[in-house]
Amino acid sequence: EDQVTQSPEALRLQEGESSSLNCSYTVSGLRGLFWYRQDPGKGPEFLFTLYSAGEEKEKERLKATLTKKESFLHITAPKPEDSATYLCAVLSGGSYIPTFGRGTSLIVHP
Amino acid sequence: EPEVTQTPSHQVTQMGQEVILRCVPISNHLYFYWYRQILGQKVEFLVSFYNNEISEKSEIFDDQFSVERPDGSNFTLKIRSTKLEDSAMYFCARGTGGYNEQFFGPGTRLTVL
């Protein structure tokens, strides 16, 4: 069975303190990996899609990278408004339905 | 601006009652999905809808669930006889098919008492 594991479950940072969130996966035939941001009580907001190992995507303070076993979401000099839960989802095999991880809850203190 | 809108934003119902959740696409798309997220849990797939037909469904999507596109634009998710464990956020998403990303609506919070 496909597994998507995100770590840490929760992360507290000071404003400006850079860090990384991890999404490790054990799937047969990765077709795509997605990162979403989810604010409390809201729907997931799409951030990035990565398709192959070595691929990188950037948006403002966020940078997503992909290897054959895991993906990282790097947050550079975070601000309080970056506080949210970050979700990773994986497409594999012949399915067009992503499997989501449990997410990492990020709190950035001013 | 959301890719899809959902109504109501919050629905409270009694156990055993039927509920209908609605998803309104902003523009014409062919691929739609329903997910649920129990508080503190993962986002879970329920059903996908392509070209007005169910294309895939999960084990969660049992006989108490149904989806329709009654007027050619809005999508509805019906839960026939709600249970306490149906309490969750329900999200509609639209996609472009294939191995591409999906875009989620704001969700409906369903509370079953």
Side-chain angles (χ1 to χ4, degrees):
Chain A
E1 183 179 334
D2 295 346
Q3 293 282 349
V4 181
T5 305
Q6 293 190 244
S7 61
E9 289 185 12
L11 182 63
R12 292 178 180 270
L13 300 173
Q14 288 297 127
E15 185 172 2
E17 180 187 1
S18 300
S19 188
S20 297
L21 313 182
N22 178 264
C23 172
S24 64
Y25 57 91
T26 53
V27 301
S28 51
L30 180 73
R31 300 297 186 187
L33 185 143
F34 311 105
W35 282 99
Y36 289 87
R37 169 193 171 125
Q38 186 175 29
D39 292 302
K42 303 292 179 63
E45 175 189 344
F46 170 73
L47 294 173
F48 302 110
T49 303
L50 301 166
Y51 287 112
S52 56
E55 192 174 358
E56 298 182 353
K57 295 274 180 72
E58 280 189 74
K59 179 181 179 182
E60 297 181 351
R61 295 177 293 282
L62 300 177
K63 179 180 177 181
T65 61
L66 181 66
T67 72
K68 290 185 178 180
K69 295 182 179 180
E70 59 194 346
S71 176
F72 291 94
L73 184 66
H74 306 278
I75 303 178
T76 302
K79 298 181 178 181
E81 52 262 42
D82 294 323
S83 297
T85 295
Y86 290 85
L87 305 176
C88 169
V90 167
L91 277 176
S92 64
S95 175
Y96 299 114
I97 305 303
T99 299
F100 280 80
R102 297 178 66 92
T104 292
S105 173
L106 173 67
I107 297 176
V108 182
H109 295 285
Chain B
E1 186 177 347
E3 296 285 335
V4 294
T5 61
Q6 293 185 244
T7 61
S9 57
H10 190 191
Q11 175 87 47
V12 181
T13 190
Q14 294 291 324
M15 188 170 56
Q17 296 296 305
E18 174 182 285
V19 295
I20 297 177
L21 311 181
R22 291 182 172 79
C23 172
V24 183
I26 301 297
S27 55
N28 291 328
H29 296 289
L30 294 177
Y31 297 87
F32 292 92
Y33 311 82
W34 281 100
Y35 292 85
R36 80 172 183 190
Q37 187 178 30
I38 296 170
L39 186 64
Q41 304 290 320
K42 295 182 185 182
V43 174
E44 299 176 292
F45 168 72
L46 292 175
V47 65
S48 60
F49 208 73
Y50 167 67
N51 205 23
N52 296 329
E53 291 185 358
I54 290 176
S55 55
E56 203 167 339
K57 57 184 180 180
S58 72
E59 293 177 352
I60 303 170
F61 193 85
D62 60 21
D63 291 344
Q64 71 162 155
F65 291 95
S66 62
V67 288
E68 290 182 352
R69 197 172 190 184
D71 58 6
S73 59
N74 298 345
F75 286 88
T76 61
L77 174 69
K78 183 189 294 185
I79 308 176
R80 290 191 181 81
S81 179
T82 50
K83 306 171 189 172
L84 295 176
E85 54 264 37
D86 293 328
S87 295
M89 286 289 289
Y90 288 81
F91 296 110
C92 172
R94 72 95 176 160
T96 55
Y99 302 119
N100 300 316
E101 59 274 359
Q102 296 174 18
F103 299 91
F104 285 74
T108 292
R109 178 176 299 282
L110 176 64
T111 302
V112 182
L113 302 176

